[in-house]
Amino acid sequence: MEATHALYYSKYCFFCQKVLMFIRGKDLDLTLLSTSDKSHAQALMQGGGKTQVPCLRIEQADGSVEWMYESNDIIEYFS
Ligand SMILES: N[C@@H](CCC(=O)N[C@@H](CS)C(=O)NCC(=O)O)C(=O)O
């Protein structure tokens, strides 16, 4: 079984726009979570340890979770 992905982003963030532009049109199973929704910002802080965006939450089939914070790393991950 494959990993599931969620991208935390802010629409005012250049680094987020860079990632969003990159993934646009790609056939990815990815949930987009805006941190303007306080519950998403809170989940990001609690899970990843900081509020910085963009952040990709990767959950493996075995339940292990990775929080990937750097836009270049996220782009590389989906390349
Ligand atoms: N080096 C990071 C920079 C990300 C960054 O600076 N994000 C800003 C928004 S544009 C941010 O989240 N600042 C608030 C914070 O760090 O809590 C990347 O390329 O993803």
Side-chain angles (χ1 to χ4, degrees):
M1 204 168 158
E2 289 183 20
T4 58
H5 302 97
L7 181 69
Y8 290 81
Y9 75 100
S10 162
K11 69 176 174 182
Y12 304 108
C13 167
F14 164 78
F15 300 98
C16 300
Q17 292 308 320
K18 187 174 75 170
V19 172
L20 290 168
M21 288 278 283
F22 179 79
I23 63 176
R24 199 184 200 157
K26 293 195 189 310
D27 187 22
L28 299 174
D29 188 8
L30 175 67
T31 305
L32 298 180
L33 301 173
S34 169
T35 52
S36 60
D37 181 325
K38 292 282 177 259
S39 69
H40 295 154
Q42 212 169 15
L44 175 60
M45 181 64 205
Q46 281 175 357
K50 51 185 178 177
T51 54
Q52 182 180 300
V53 285
C55 180
L56 180 66
R57 181 183 187 278
I58 307 163
E59 181 168 349
Q60 302 294 343
D62 66 5
S64 62
V65 175
E66 179 188 352
W67 299 80
M68 185 180 285
Y69 273 100
E70 287 298 315
S71 57
N72 287 342
D73 290 348
I74 297 168
I75 288 171
E76 175 75 26
Y77 178 83
F78 285 124
S79 297

